[in-house]
mmCIF file of all heavy atoms in Angstrom:
data_model
loop_
_atom_site.group_PDB
_atom_site.id
_atom_site.type_symbol
_atom_site.label_atom_id
_atom_site.label_comp_id
_atom_site.label_asym_id
_atom_site.label_seq_id
_atom_site.Cartn_x
_atom_site.Cartn_y
_atom_site.Cartn_z
ATOM 1 N N LEU A 19 7.894 -1.335 -4.046
ATOM 2 C CA LEU A 19 7.130 -2.547 -4.128
ATOM 3 C C LEU A 19 6.149 -2.596 -5.338
ATOM 4 O O LEU A 19 5.677 -3.633 -5.580
ATOM 5 C CB LEU A 19 6.310 -2.768 -2.823
ATOM 6 C CG LEU A 19 7.041 -2.932 -1.552
ATOM 7 C CD1 LEU A 19 6.251 -2.939 -0.309
ATOM 8 C CD2 LEU A 19 7.956 -4.124 -1.593
ATOM 9 N N GLY A 20 6.046 -1.421 -5.948
ATOM 10 C CA GLY A 20 5.196 -1.377 -7.179
ATOM 11 C C GLY A 20 3.643 -1.683 -6.886
ATOM 12 O O GLY A 20 3.059 -2.110 -7.767
ATOM 13 N N ILE A 21 3.234 -1.253 -5.704
ATOM 14 C CA ILE A 21 1.855 -1.447 -5.357
ATOM 15 C C ILE A 21 1.069 -0.164 -5.747
ATOM 16 O O ILE A 21 1.348 0.927 -5.318
ATOM 17 C CB ILE A 21 1.566 -1.769 -3.929
ATOM 18 C CG1 ILE A 21 2.406 -2.942 -3.512
ATOM 19 C CG2 ILE A 21 0.077 -1.859 -3.484
ATOM 20 C CD1 ILE A 21 2.427 -3.150 -1.960
ATOM 21 N N GLN A 22 0.125 -0.272 -6.704
ATOM 22 C CA GLN A 22 -0.642 0.930 -7.139
ATOM 23 C C GLN A 22 -1.647 1.405 -6.021
ATOM 24 O O GLN A 22 -2.125 0.679 -5.176
ATOM 25 C CB GLN A 22 -1.423 0.550 -8.412
ATOM 26 C CG GLN A 22 -0.611 0.356 -9.525
ATOM 27 C CD GLN A 22 -1.269 0.795 -10.849
ATOM 28 O OE1 GLN A 22 -1.871 1.894 -10.968
ATOM 29 N NE2 GLN A 22 -1.288 -0.056 -11.917
ATOM 30 N N GLY A 23 -1.783 2.744 -5.993
ATOM 31 C CA GLY A 23 -2.717 3.408 -4.982
ATOM 32 C C GLY A 23 -2.496 4.792 -4.768
ATOM 33 O O GLY A 23 -1.565 5.390 -5.442
ATOM 34 N N GLY A 24 -3.195 5.406 -3.858
ATOM 35 C CA GLY A 24 -3.009 6.783 -3.642
ATOM 36 C C GLY A 24 -2.250 7.103 -2.472
ATOM 37 O O GLY A 24 -1.439 6.364 -1.998
ATOM 38 N N ARG A 25 -2.538 8.287 -1.866
ATOM 39 C CA ARG A 25 -1.594 8.879 -0.822
ATOM 40 C C ARG A 25 -2.331 9.009 0.502
ATOM 41 O O ARG A 25 -1.818 9.164 1.593
ATOM 42 C CB ARG A 25 -1.182 10.290 -1.181
ATOM 43 C CG ARG A 25 0.092 10.151 -1.942
ATOM 44 C CD ARG A 25 0.750 11.609 -1.972
ATOM 45 N NE ARG A 25 0.510 12.193 -3.412
ATOM 46 C CZ ARG A 25 0.653 13.434 -3.675
ATOM 47 N NH1 ARG A 25 0.883 14.329 -2.759
ATOM 48 N NH2 ARG A 25 0.684 13.805 -4.934
ATOM 49 N N GLN A 26 -3.698 8.856 0.495
ATOM 50 C CA GLN A 26 -4.426 9.182 1.771
ATOM 51 C C GLN A 26 -4.118 8.195 2.867
ATOM 52 O O GLN A 26 -4.101 8.680 4.113
ATOM 53 C CB GLN A 26 -5.946 9.210 1.583
ATOM 54 C CG GLN A 26 -6.517 7.946 1.081
ATOM 55 C CD GLN A 26 -8.023 8.040 1.326
ATOM 56 O OE1 GLN A 26 -8.544 8.463 2.325
ATOM 57 N NE2 GLN A 26 -8.774 7.481 0.286
ATOM 58 N N ASP A 27 -4.010 6.964 2.626
ATOM 59 C CA ASP A 27 -3.798 5.953 3.647
ATOM 60 C C ASP A 27 -2.549 6.210 4.533
ATOM 61 O O ASP A 27 -2.706 6.055 5.844
ATOM 62 C CB ASP A 27 -3.746 4.589 3.027
ATOM 63 C CG ASP A 27 -4.999 4.146 2.328
ATOM 64 O OD1 ASP A 27 -6.043 4.953 2.392
ATOM 65 O OD2 ASP A 27 -5.001 3.138 1.649
ATOM 66 N N GLN A 28 -1.462 6.540 3.975
ATOM 67 C CA GLN A 28 -0.260 6.657 4.664
ATOM 68 C C GLN A 28 -0.372 7.916 5.676
ATOM 69 O O GLN A 28 0.051 7.908 6.751
ATOM 70 C CB GLN A 28 0.943 6.957 3.701
ATOM 71 C CG GLN A 28 1.343 5.749 2.876
ATOM 72 C CD GLN A 28 0.520 5.637 1.582
ATOM 73 O OE1 GLN A 28 -0.402 6.503 1.279
ATOM 74 N NE2 GLN A 28 0.823 4.699 0.727
ATOM 75 N N TYR A 29 -0.935 9.016 5.118
ATOM 76 C CA TYR A 29 -1.076 10.162 5.975
ATOM 77 C C TYR A 29 -2.171 10.018 7.061
ATOM 78 O O TYR A 29 -1.940 10.586 8.135
ATOM 79 C CB TYR A 29 -1.352 11.433 5.036
ATOM 80 C CG TYR A 29 -0.173 11.784 4.286
ATOM 81 C CD1 TYR A 29 0.091 11.146 3.066
ATOM 82 C CD2 TYR A 29 0.743 12.703 4.740
ATOM 83 C CE1 TYR A 29 1.258 11.496 2.347
ATOM 84 C CE2 TYR A 29 1.886 13.163 4.015
ATOM 85 C CZ TYR A 29 2.147 12.460 2.770
ATOM 86 O OH TYR A 29 3.257 12.926 1.975
ATOM 87 N N ALA A 30 -3.191 9.328 6.776
ATOM 88 C CA ALA A 30 -4.177 9.051 7.771
ATOM 89 C C ALA A 30 -3.614 8.313 8.894
ATOM 90 O O ALA A 30 -3.798 8.592 10.127
ATOM 91 C CB ALA A 30 -5.441 8.310 7.174
ATOM 92 N N ALA A 31 -2.840 7.246 8.616
ATOM 93 C CA ALA A 31 -2.252 6.460 9.644
ATOM 94 C C ALA A 31 -1.237 7.136 10.469
ATOM 95 O O ALA A 31 -1.066 6.911 11.575
ATOM 96 C CB ALA A 31 -1.699 5.204 8.974
ATOM 97 N N ALA A 32 -0.476 7.946 9.711
ATOM 98 C CA ALA A 32 0.546 8.696 10.500
ATOM 99 C C ALA A 32 0.000 9.773 11.445
ATOM 100 O O ALA A 32 0.485 10.001 12.555
ATOM 101 C CB ALA A 32 1.580 9.422 9.486
ATOM 102 N N PHE A 33 -1.046 10.499 10.957
ATOM 103 C CA PHE A 33 -1.539 11.606 11.772
ATOM 104 C C PHE A 33 -2.777 11.271 12.665
ATOM 105 O O PHE A 33 -2.833 11.797 13.786
ATOM 106 C CB PHE A 33 -1.944 12.727 10.773
ATOM 107 C CG PHE A 33 -0.834 13.557 10.145
ATOM 108 C CD1 PHE A 33 -0.140 13.090 9.190
ATOM 109 C CD2 PHE A 33 -0.400 14.779 10.834
ATOM 110 C CE1 PHE A 33 0.848 13.836 8.562
ATOM 111 C CE2 PHE A 33 0.744 15.407 10.344
ATOM 112 C CZ PHE A 33 1.295 14.994 9.173
ATOM 113 N N GLY A 34 -3.645 10.372 12.148
ATOM 114 C CA GLY A 34 -4.883 10.072 12.930
ATOM 115 C C GLY A 34 -5.765 11.215 12.992
ATOM 116 O O GLY A 34 -5.522 12.343 12.544
ATOM 117 N N GLY A 35 -6.978 10.874 13.409
ATOM 118 C CA GLY A 35 -8.095 11.815 13.551
ATOM 119 C C GLY A 35 -8.975 11.985 12.372
ATOM 120 O O GLY A 35 -8.916 11.171 11.446
ATOM 121 N N ILE A 36 -9.843 12.998 12.334
ATOM 122 C CA ILE A 36 -10.672 13.303 11.240
ATOM 123 C C ILE A 36 -10.003 14.388 10.400
ATOM 124 O O ILE A 36 -9.784 15.581 10.947
ATOM 125 C CB ILE A 36 -12.130 13.708 11.597
ATOM 126 C CG1 ILE A 36 -12.741 12.653 12.373
ATOM 127 C CG2 ILE A 36 -12.891 14.098 10.461
ATOM 128 C CD1 ILE A 36 -14.150 12.903 12.960
ATOM 129 N N ASN A 37 -9.636 14.182 9.225
ATOM 130 C CA ASN A 37 -8.734 15.089 8.365
ATOM 131 C C ASN A 37 -9.297 15.367 6.952
ATOM 132 O O ASN A 37 -9.920 14.538 6.346
ATOM 133 C CB ASN A 37 -7.356 14.478 8.222
ATOM 134 C CG ASN A 37 -6.598 14.432 9.627
ATOM 135 O OD1 ASN A 37 -6.359 15.395 10.297
ATOM 136 N ND2 ASN A 37 -6.316 13.192 9.927
ATOM 137 N N PHE A 38 -9.052 16.612 6.561
ATOM 138 C CA PHE A 38 -9.300 17.006 5.154
ATOM 139 C C PHE A 38 -7.952 17.128 4.566
ATOM 140 O O PHE A 38 -7.111 17.974 5.112
ATOM 141 C CB PHE A 38 -10.112 18.312 5.051
ATOM 142 C CG PHE A 38 -10.296 18.691 3.658
ATOM 143 C CD1 PHE A 38 -11.334 18.156 2.901
ATOM 144 C CD2 PHE A 38 -9.545 19.691 3.005
ATOM 145 C CE1 PHE A 38 -11.576 18.525 1.578
ATOM 146 C CE2 PHE A 38 -9.798 20.158 1.819
ATOM 147 C CZ PHE A 38 -10.890 19.547 1.035
ATOM 148 N N MET A 39 -7.559 16.318 3.622
ATOM 149 C CA MET A 39 -6.273 16.285 3.002
ATOM 150 C C MET A 39 -6.199 16.886 1.618
ATOM 151 O O MET A 39 -7.141 16.604 0.840
ATOM 152 C CB MET A 39 -5.717 14.792 3.054
ATOM 153 C CG MET A 39 -5.627 14.163 4.394
ATOM 154 S SD MET A 39 -4.998 12.533 4.249
ATOM 155 C CE MET A 39 -5.060 11.991 6.014
ATOM 156 N N GLU A 40 -5.325 17.628 1.341
ATOM 157 C CA GLU A 40 -5.063 18.224 0.041
ATOM 158 C C GLU A 40 -3.727 17.811 -0.588
ATOM 159 O O GLU A 40 -2.759 17.713 0.111
ATOM 160 C CB GLU A 40 -5.055 19.805 0.233
ATOM 161 C CG GLU A 40 -6.314 20.402 0.688
ATOM 162 C CD GLU A 40 -6.219 21.883 1.095
ATOM 163 O OE1 GLU A 40 -6.436 22.711 0.033
ATOM 164 O OE2 GLU A 40 -5.722 22.260 2.112
ATOM 165 N N PHE A 41 -3.938 17.343 -1.790
ATOM 166 C CA PHE A 41 -2.730 16.635 -2.473
ATOM 167 C C PHE A 41 -2.415 17.499 -3.723
ATOM 168 O O PHE A 41 -3.226 17.863 -4.588
ATOM 169 C CB PHE A 41 -3.099 15.257 -2.910
ATOM 170 C CG PHE A 41 -3.551 14.395 -1.681
ATOM 171 C CD1 PHE A 41 -4.844 14.243 -1.491
ATOM 172 C CD2 PHE A 41 -2.611 13.808 -0.957
ATOM 173 C CE1 PHE A 41 -5.353 13.342 -0.439
ATOM 174 C CE2 PHE A 41 -2.922 12.994 0.178
ATOM 175 C CZ PHE A 41 -4.299 12.790 0.453
ATOM 176 N N LYS A 42 -1.058 17.747 -3.964
ATOM 177 C CA LYS A 42 -0.638 18.228 -5.263
ATOM 178 C C LYS A 42 0.446 17.204 -5.584
ATOM 179 O O LYS A 42 0.816 16.246 -5.055
ATOM 180 C CB LYS A 42 -0.095 19.680 -5.119
ATOM 181 C CG LYS A 42 -1.157 20.605 -4.577
ATOM 182 C CD LYS A 42 -0.495 22.078 -4.487
ATOM 183 C CE LYS A 42 -1.685 23.017 -4.000
ATOM 184 N NZ LYS A 42 -1.099 24.366 -3.818
ATOM 185 N N ARG A 43 1.094 17.550 -6.882
ATOM 186 C CA ARG A 43 2.039 16.582 -7.375
ATOM 187 C C ARG A 43 3.091 16.288 -6.359
ATOM 188 O O ARG A 43 3.585 15.136 -6.202
ATOM 189 C CB ARG A 43 2.713 17.277 -8.627
ATOM 190 C CG ARG A 43 3.776 16.369 -9.226
ATOM 191 C CD ARG A 43 4.581 17.109 -10.367
ATOM 192 N NE ARG A 43 3.701 17.228 -11.527
ATOM 193 C CZ ARG A 43 3.611 16.402 -12.490
ATOM 194 N NH1 ARG A 43 4.299 15.268 -12.451
ATOM 195 N NH2 ARG A 43 2.875 16.594 -13.511
ATOM 196 N N SER A 44 3.657 17.361 -5.655
ATOM 197 C CA SER A 44 4.868 17.007 -4.714
ATOM 198 C C SER A 44 4.645 17.513 -3.273
ATOM 199 O O SER A 44 5.475 17.671 -2.560
ATOM 200 C CB SER A 44 6.046 17.660 -5.261
ATOM 201 O OG SER A 44 5.881 18.996 -5.494
ATOM 202 N N GLU A 45 3.310 17.682 -2.998
ATOM 203 C CA GLU A 45 3.003 18.296 -1.655
ATOM 204 C C GLU A 45 1.681 17.653 -1.181
ATOM 205 O O GLU A 45 0.700 17.486 -1.872
ATOM 206 C CB GLU A 45 2.855 19.718 -1.792
ATOM 207 C CG GLU A 45 2.655 20.420 -0.459
ATOM 208 C CD GLU A 45 2.514 21.994 -0.580
ATOM 209 O OE1 GLU A 45 1.673 22.481 -1.288
ATOM 210 O OE2 GLU A 45 3.403 22.678 0.104
ATOM 211 N N THR A 46 1.720 17.411 0.171
ATOM 212 C CA THR A 46 0.478 17.017 0.841
ATOM 213 C C THR A 46 0.225 17.760 2.051
ATOM 214 O O THR A 46 1.212 18.023 2.810
ATOM 215 C CB THR A 46 0.583 15.471 1.235
ATOM 216 O OG1 THR A 46 0.755 14.699 0.044
ATOM 217 C CG2 THR A 46 -0.703 14.990 2.031
ATOM 218 N N LEU A 47 -0.965 18.337 2.311
ATOM 219 C CA LEU A 47 -1.310 19.050 3.511
ATOM 220 C C LEU A 47 -2.422 18.342 4.164
ATOM 221 O O LEU A 47 -3.359 17.970 3.655
ATOM 222 C CB LEU A 47 -1.690 20.410 3.119
ATOM 223 C CG LEU A 47 -0.779 21.398 2.419
ATOM 224 C CD1 LEU A 47 -1.412 22.709 2.115
ATOM 225 C CD2 LEU A 47 0.444 21.653 3.499
#
């Protein structure tokens, strides 16, 4: 869709809760 943005929203919605997220080029924890 070409919508600019980051990665945190998708992972927050999928997992739920209070999270500390770590991002690399091809990996998210």
Side-chain angles (χ1 to χ4, degrees):
L19 296 174
I21 302 171
Q22 293 212 46
R25 272 190 250 166
Q26 66 161 312
D27 297 352
Q28 295 86 357
Y29 288 86
F33 283 85
I36 301 177
N37 295 296
F38 181 76
M39 301 181 180
E40 299 174 88
F41 305 97
K42 297 180 181 179
R43 177 187 290 271
S44 58
E45 182 181 60
T46 299
L47 293 177

